[in-house]
Amino acid sequence: MRKKIIAGNWKMNNDLNESQSLVSGIISGLGSDDKCEVIVCPPFTSLNEVHSLVKDSPVKLGAQNMFFEESGAYTGEISASMLKSVGCEYVILGHSERRTIFGESDEWINKKIKKAIESGLKVIFCVGETLAQREEGETDAVVKNQIINGLQNVTSENLKTITIAYEPIWAIGTGKTASPAQAQEVHAFIRNLIEEIYSKESAENLIIQYGGSVKPDNAASLLSQPDIDGALVGGACLKPASFLSIIASA
Ligand code: 13P
């Protein structure tokens, strides 16, 4: 039985005060059962203070990105060990906004994934197709490529610390959610692919989150699909009430 993971990707939202108030609202509204893992991913500038608030709660801390080098002349970048030093347990890598706006390649994402794992961070590895790719019938091929390239030289042992987030780009921030059946189809494809590359056991244990306009009113139907093990939430994680409602659905 895979544990559900609900992660909130705050993106470039919330200054320090807003971050503290959002996470406090989430913590105070959480139930006590641990049927699902809850992760918040604030911007870098809030990680340390959000960590002080979550450390005695069930909420885990994640970052939205990192660089693959350990240290040095990389202006504006943040390393895996820096993230660890402020209490991060997770890092989101390969988000479509990093790929499209900041030009991150599969090769870079692979380097980041390997560095994160080596540093003891768990990875939320994002994949997903554009609308044009879906309309051309290329969804499976695109997702397969992203996964094969992103997981180069990642062992089955390492895979245990990775969750894959399927985020169709056309559903991110658009209010257009993949239907539960559309999302399930790609999740099942990903699980089969992992079985081909690794093993049945790796595939069965892999947590695959869905992301793209997940909201309180569609979360339950998405999360009830057999291969959807959680959600990576953007817009709806910015208010405690809507994030808590999605957690309750899980
Ligand atoms: P939205 O929930 O705002 O569509 O964002 C999804 C996302 O990109 C999470 O990483």
Side-chain angles (χ1 to χ4, degrees):
M1 185 61 186
R2 296 181 293 268
K3 195 171 182 177
K4 295 247 188 304
I5 296 188
I6 305 297
N9 175 7
W10 297 11
K11 307 193 180 184
M12 197 174 74
N13 292 293
N14 295 328
D15 65 16
L16 188 52
N17 284 334
E18 290 161 342
S19 296
Q20 288 167 317
S21 103
L22 174 54
V23 79
S24 301
I26 293 167
I27 293 168
S28 62
L30 268 188
S32 55
D33 69 64
D34 63 350
K35 286 201 201 80
C36 102
E37 180 136 319
V38 177
I39 307 169
V40 291
C41 304
F44 291 135
T45 46
S46 298
L47 286 171
N48 194 39
E49 283 73 9
V50 169
H51 179 243
S52 319
L53 295 169
V54 298
K55 68 179 191 306
D56 299 319
S57 83
V59 177
K60 311 276 196 226
L61 186 66
Q64 299 172 21
N65 184 31
M66 52 159 258
F67 195 48
F68 51 77
E69 295 291 354
E70 186 59 46
S71 63
Y74 302 103
T75 302
E77 291 299 321
I78 301 276
S79 72
S81 52
M82 290 170 185
L83 296 181
K84 293 273 293 182
S85 77
V86 292
C88 286
E89 201 174 313
Y90 286 87
V91 61
I92 299 171
L93 294 174
H95 193 280
S96 62
E97 287 149 17
R98 300 296 321 169
R99 294 175 188 264
T100 57
I101 306 171
F102 301 99
E104 289 194 15
S105 62
D106 284 338
E107 189 193 344
W108 264 38
I109 293 160
N110 175 246
K111 285 186 177 175
K112 290 181 177 202
I113 289 175
K114 287 187 292 193
K115 184 65 187 181
I117 293 169
E118 182 194 309
S119 310
L121 286 166
K122 295 177 194 157
V123 173
I124 298 176
F125 168 34
C126 303
V127 298
E129 82 288 1
T130 62
L131 185 59
Q133 289 165 333
R134 172 161 284 263
E135 284 171 352
E136 288 300 312
E138 293 169 354
T139 299
D140 289 358
V142 168
V143 167
K144 181 175 180 174
N145 247 313
Q146 290 171 335
I147 291 179
I148 288 181
N149 294 329
L151 297 182
Q152 280 297 311
N153 300 314
V154 170
T155 64
S156 57
E157 197 51 36
N158 292 340
L159 190 71
K160 291 179 185 162
T161 61
I162 298 180
T163 81
I164 293 182
Y166 169 58
E167 297 205 310
I169 295 172
W170 48 273
I172 295 179
T174 58
K176 274 190 213 156
T177 326
S179 69
Q182 280 174 320
Q184 164 58 27
E185 197 181 338
V186 181
H187 282 232
F189 172 78
I190 293 172
R191 204 176 300 287
N192 284 332
L193 178 64
I194 293 297
E195 181 171 342
E196 270 172 43
I197 309 174
Y198 293 93
S199 66
K200 195 168 177 60
E201 193 192 347
S202 297
E204 276 171 2
N205 292 329
L206 178 73
I207 291 176
I208 311 175
Q209 296 167 268
Y210 170 80
S213 298
V214 176
K215 307 279 178 233
D217 62 0
N218 60 26
S221 58
L222 287 160
L223 290 165
S224 62
Q225 297 298 311
D227 289 295
I228 300 185
D229 309 314
L232 181 55
V233 185
C237 78
L238 298 173
K239 292 271 179 298
S242 52
F243 193 51
L244 288 165
S245 158
I246 294 168
I247 294 166
S249 306

